[in-house]
Amino acid sequence: PQSLIGRRHPDVQPQPVSVMTSPDAAKDVSDRVRTGALAPLNHPVFRAVWITSLVTNFGGLIQSVGAAWMMSSIASAQMVALVQASVTLPIMLLSLAAGALADTVDLRRIMLAAQTFMLLVSAGLAVMTYVGWITPWVLLGFTFLIGCGTAFNGPAWQASVGDMVPREDLAGAVTLNSMGFNLARSVGPAIGGLIVAAAGAAAAFAVNAVSYVGLLVVLFRWKPDRPKQTLPREGLLAAMAGGLRYAFLSPRVTAVLLRAVVFGVGASAVQALMPLVAREGGGGPLAFGLLLGAFGVGAVGGALFVGRL
């Protein structure tokens, strides 16, 4: 399936780039950039999508800070935890169908539809908050809808990387995508906390809505070359069944999925209750953003040592 194209070859090892000053050394560094981990950025489409996706990641994290902090101000602890659930529940329910859809439908159209949907929902949430019509259940409803858009966008975006870069740059492109997300996760929550503290949650929701514009423009202008389909399109249910069959018949994939479930249950509980930890500890939205940003800092730090480990 296209969703598995990001697999890294076990013999591919990251090449360190040292800082040197001689002309020959500078040429060596330049050659490594063209052929190393940063090589995917030489492709204009991938570079544009990567940069604009980084912006949308920032926007999404800013929105998450605003939603969680607003809920902690207007509702009980149980409702605060439901903010995290309303974002992740659509991913759990819809990702299998979204992955099958990404294998059978034009990926660019899926991303355009998902990004447009999230822009409209985010703009509606900003307006509802600004005019004072927001309630705990309305907030949960909007965050659930944003989660639905994320569920459909994710598999299509991951599978489309193979259409943006040649195969030899695919491993580097997957690594850059992960790096970009964790970079946003390191800094985005703190920026979100500053925005909420300075201008309120409505401003955070508005920033998220605007963050989708750049990526929509890039996707609209991108015209990928696709081979002509000679086989009939696989049905959605058949594609979902094929994905499940592949996962359960592959011991390594099954092991990874089980570990992800075990880890995810505990980690999601920590993140869901973080707004209450910040509030009861005497902190404000900036403190909450910094606490969330620590997840991203840890992920970036882990990425630096994962090769050795």
Side-chain angles (χ1 to χ4, degrees):
Q2 292 183 15
S3 54
L4 297 177
I5 61 173
R7 259 185 165 167
R8 183 173 180 176
H9 193 279
D11 295 332
V12 177
Q13 299 295 329
Q15 300 297 320
V17 180
S18 59
V19 178
M20 296 172 276
T21 56
S22 67
D24 292 340
K27 182 179 183 300
D28 180 65
V29 171
S30 177
D31 290 341
R32 291 191 182 192
V33 168
R34 286 196 296 269
T35 60
L38 298 180
L41 295 177
N42 293 321
H43 305 284
V45 172
F46 178 80
R47 182 171 64 247
V49 172
W50 187 83
I51 292 173
T52 51
S53 293
L54 184 63
V55 174
T56 62
N57 286 334
F58 271 103
L61 289 162
I62 290 170
Q63 188 272 340
S64 296
V65 171
W69 190 257
M70 168 169 272
M71 187 65 83
S72 71
S73 303
I74 64 176
S76 63
Q78 289 85 352
M79 298 297 288
V80 173
L82 285 177
V83 173
Q84 178 74 11
S86 67
V87 175
T88 55
L89 184 61
I91 298 174
M92 184 186 75
L93 296 176
L94 301 175
S95 285
L96 182 61
L101 199 66
D103 278 337
T104 57
V105 179
D106 183 84
L107 300 173
R108 173 177 165 271
R109 293 183 179 180
I110 295 175
M111 289 189 289
L112 278 171
Q115 295 289 329
T116 301
F117 177 76
M118 289 188 286
L119 186 154
L120 295 175
V121 172
S122 299
L125 178 58
V127 171
M128 293 284 287
T129 305
Y130 181 77
V131 299
W133 292 349
I134 203 72
T135 66
W137 288 108
V138 169
L139 180 58
L140 288 177
F142 274 101
T143 54
F144 181 86
L145 291 175
I146 292 174
C148 291
T150 302
F152 280 97
N153 182 76
W157 158 232
Q158 293 168 14
S160 68
V161 176
D163 295 331
M164 301 178 191
V165 298
R167 191 168 187 82
E168 60 268 20
D169 289 336
L170 191 55
V174 172
T175 301
L176 281 172
N177 284 340
S178 178
M179 183 187 73
F181 175 75
N182 286 316
L183 177 63
R185 196 166 60 155
S186 302
V187 184
I191 296 175
L194 284 172
I195 292 174
V196 173
F205 302 150
V207 168
N208 184 39
V210 174
S211 70
Y212 296 110
V213 174
L215 182 56
L216 280 170
V217 171
V218 171
L219 290 175
F220 185 78
R221 297 178 62 183
W222 175 39
K223 307 295 182 184
D225 294 327
R226 295 190 178 279
K228 186 177 180 181
Q229 283 289 106
T230 58
L231 297 175
R233 179 179 297 174
E234 187 177 19
L236 183 62
L237 293 179
M240 292 170 62
L244 287 172
R245 186 164 54 251
Y246 178 89
F248 285 116
L249 293 179
S250 174
R252 292 185 178 183
V253 175
T254 303
V256 171
L257 290 175
L258 290 175
R259 291 173 184 174
V261 169
V262 173
F263 175 79
V265 170
S268 62
V270 174
Q271 191 164 342
L273 296 174
M274 197 66 74
L276 299 176
V277 174
R279 179 175 290 279
E280 294 180 5
L286 176 57
F288 171 50
L290 291 173
L291 287 172
L292 285 182
F295 285 96
V297 173
V300 172
L304 296 176
F305 295 99
V306 68
R308 296 179 182 178
L309 294 174

